[in-house]
Amino acid sequence: MGSEGPGGVTIHVTGFKKFHGVAENPTEAIVDNLKAFVEETGLPAGVTLGSCTVLDVAGDGALPLLYKVLESGISNVTETTKLIWLHLGVNSGLARFAVEWQAVNKATFRYPDELGWQPQKLPIVMEDGEISMIRKTSCLAPTILERLKAKSYNVILSEDAGRFVCNY
């Protein structure tokens, strides 16, 4: 009593459905199969897989589901629980994994998203200001990159999430 043990880590994972130019999104298959994989192989002590959610490749239209996922992911969190939100995306022009560590506050789509929206030069988060505003992750992306490389993963650090839905 009075001293709680260390909190656990809960990981929530999202991926995308198909979209223009990517008829079968591998992130959808990963997210759909992740719970079964974790049940078979397990996770380290103190680590829990939270939600696994596949999202429409859409900007504003996908926000209600995303907010619902985020809210449900924090509803049972204690002060000692650490949360990790991992989003998987795909870049069909890249032959290796990329750790994204920043996004631009700009919605300019070359083609409509999966819900038919095609914004041009709109800020994603109005409170963040101009469309040139860059938001960086609080994760130590270079450290994550080096640890993945040490395990022989073919991975790079990306400074450009593109100008499609990934900036969301």
Side-chain angles (χ1 to χ4, degrees), residues 46-160:
V47 178
T48 304
L49 180 62
S51 61
C52 291
T53 307
V54 178
L55 302 169
D56 282 317
V57 180
D60 278 354
L63 291 178
L65 175 59
L66 180 59
Y67 290 150
K68 184 177 176 181
V69 169
L70 294 171
E71 288 172 7
S72 69
I74 62 172
S75 62
N76 296 323
V77 174
T78 66
E79 288 183 26
T80 59
T81 302
K82 294 179 183 169
L83 288 178
I84 296 175
W85 294 93
L86 176 64
H87 176 71
L88 304 174
V90 66
N91 177 344
S92 58
L94 199 58
R96 56 185 164 175
F97 288 101
V99 175
E100 296 289 355
W101 71 303
Q102 65 184 25
V104 179
N105 193 34
K106 182 179 181 181
T108 295
F109 298 175
R110 287 186 302 224
Y111 44 85
D113 67 17
E114 290 302 300
L115 299 179
W117 188 51
Q118 189 175 6
Q120 298 298 310
K121 297 181 182 176
L122 295 178
I124 294 169
V125 179
M126 295 298 257
E127 296 81 17
D128 279 358
E130 298 294 320
I131 60 175
S132 61
M133 165 64 180
I134 294 173
R135 182 176 291 234
K136 295 184 179 188
T137 182
S138 60
C139 293
L140 301 173
T143 302
I144 293 169
L145 176 78
E146 292 311 313
R147 289 188 180 177
L148 289 169
K149 282 184 173 183
K151 293 181 179 257
S152 300
Y153 289 102
N154 185 10
V155 62
I156 61 169
L157 192 62
S158 172
E159 296 182 357
D160 187 356

